Amino acid sequence: MTKLALVTGASAGIGREACALFARNGYRVIALSRQPSGVELADLEITLDLESFEKIEGLAGALEAEIAGAERVILVNNSGYGQFGALRDLSESMWQKQFSTHVFGPIKLASVCLRLCEQHGVPLRVIAVSSVLSIAPQKMKGAYCAAKSAMNAAHDSFWFDEQGSKSLESVSLVLPGPVATRFREHALAALKPVISRASTAHREKYEEMEAALAPGARKKPFTASALDVADKIYRAAEAARPRPRYLVTPQTYIAAFITRFMPQSIQRRILS
């Protein structure tokens, strides 16, 4: 029997690095993504649509045979993208997609995996890739901040809900700051439709954001690599006693300190 890693958002960036890291350490790896793209070292690729509970439930048949023969299952809820823009300018569908990707879909997938693990007596660990913005909101990124904050709360609640489960071993969240992936490219693509329908109230802020997300824009200090984040994911998968939170990049450690020890009024001044 081998350990099994199920990694969402596996086609690029953190997900792809996590797949490779698990595979190098003897795991059987299933790469799940909206558009499978030939992930190196993955044993199997499966199409995943996090916006449809029906389609997520439909994966149970394909996953059951894999889970039944596993020593332990690691589910990495890594899929994500940033829907930026002033909250007043976002459409209902933009909000819905952001929360489906980061909250509704990942929890549904975790529920399906837990049910299958319980049926076959297999231990399960759930690891979700969140963000520093889940604890330290920023202007013009409210929907993404809200979705990542809800991701934290939903995964913590999933852990509390399932305390009586004989299969669920742990639920951990990995909180990176800036990471050198295609995140900015995808965030810019998601921002364009917002700008086309936006009011003029935030014109200068949109111009600044476009410049910051543009190809060739300066990277933020202490930007991590995708492998840095994958290392924390793997640490949570292998730890004898996994922690509820794993922080990546100095920005996240600083944000955690500020939000834990400073009054709200001072936090707003620092983070604004």
Side-chain angles (χ1 to χ4, degrees):
M1 298 178 71
T2 60
K3 296 177 184 178
L4 176 67
L6 310 174
V7 183
T8 74
S11 61
I14 295 168
R16 204 177 192 96
E17 288 289 354
C19 285
L21 184 55
F22 279 116
R24 288 196 298 269
N25 285 279
Y27 278 75
R28 178 169 173 78
V29 175
I30 298 181
L32 300 105
S33 56
R34 181 178 290 275
Q35 296 178 323
S37 58
V39 178
E40 299 88 348
L41 302 179
D43 296 285
L44 178 65
E45 287 192 80
I46 297 177
T47 301
L48 172 66
D49 182 0
L50 288 171
E51 295 180 62
S52 168
F53 273 27
E54 183 179 357
K55 291 180 180 178
I56 295 171
E57 188 65 48
L59 296 177
L63 294 178
E64 183 167 13
E66 297 286 344
I67 288 173
E71 174 188 343
R72 170 183 284 141
V73 175
I74 308 297
L75 171 62
V76 182
N77 277 329
N78 167 69
S79 292
Y81 75 100
Q83 179 60 72
F84 296 165
L87 298 183
R88 65 159 71 178
D89 296 327
L90 301 185
S91 67
E92 181 179 355
S93 63
M94 291 172 180
W95 275 103
Q96 183 69 36
K97 185 174 182 179
Q98 189 75 163
F99 271 74
S100 292
T101 301
H102 295 106
V103 188
F104 309 147
I107 291 298
K108 177 60 177 177
L109 182 58
S111 301
V112 170
C113 290
L114 179 58
R115 185 182 74 237
L116 295 174
C117 285
E118 288 175 337
Q119 288 174 2
H120 294 281
V122 178
L124 170 68
R125 294 186 178 189
V126 178
I127 303 165
V129 180
S130 184
S131 167
V132 62
L133 296 184
S134 68
I135 59 174
Q138 290 184 0
K139 64 181 179 183
M140 304 293 283
K141 299 177 182 178
Y144 179 72
C145 297
K148 284 299 192 182
S149 180
M151 171 185 253
N152 295 359
H155 280 81
D156 283 339
S157 292
F158 185 75
W159 167 250
F160 293 131
D161 289 349
E162 305 300 340
Q163 284 290 280
S165 172
K166 294 182 180 179
S167 286
L168 187 61
E169 289 188 336
S170 63
V171 176
S172 299
L173 287 135
V174 178
L175 278 66
V179 183
T181 64
R182 295 175 63 190
F183 179 87
R184 292 197 296 184
E185 175 187 337
H186 295 149
L188 181 59
L191 181 67
K192 293 292 188 182
V194 181
I195 295 175
S196 68
R197 67 195 302 275
S199 64
T200 59
H202 299 295
R203 181 177 299 160
E204 291 184 3
K205 294 177 184 176
Y206 279 117
E207 290 173 354
E208 292 174 5
M209 180 163 281
E210 277 193 289
L213 297 174
R218 184 176 63 87
K219 289 183 180 180
K220 293 183 178 180
F222 308 109
T223 294
S225 69
L227 182 56
D228 291 331
V229 185
D231 282 336
K232 290 292 179 81
I233 293 170
Y234 186 75
R235 187 179 302 179
E238 286 290 301
R241 298 180 64 182
R243 300 200 301 266
R245 298 287 189 276
Y246 289 84
L247 309 185
V248 190
T249 72
Q251 290 93 327
T252 310
Y253 284 94
I254 293 169
F257 177 85
I258 290 171
T259 55
R260 182 175 181 182
F261 294 109
M262 294 189 177
Q264 288 284 339
S265 57
I266 296 177
Q267 289 183 37
R268 285 194 169 186
R269 284 184 228 158
I270 294 173
L271 299 173
S272 64

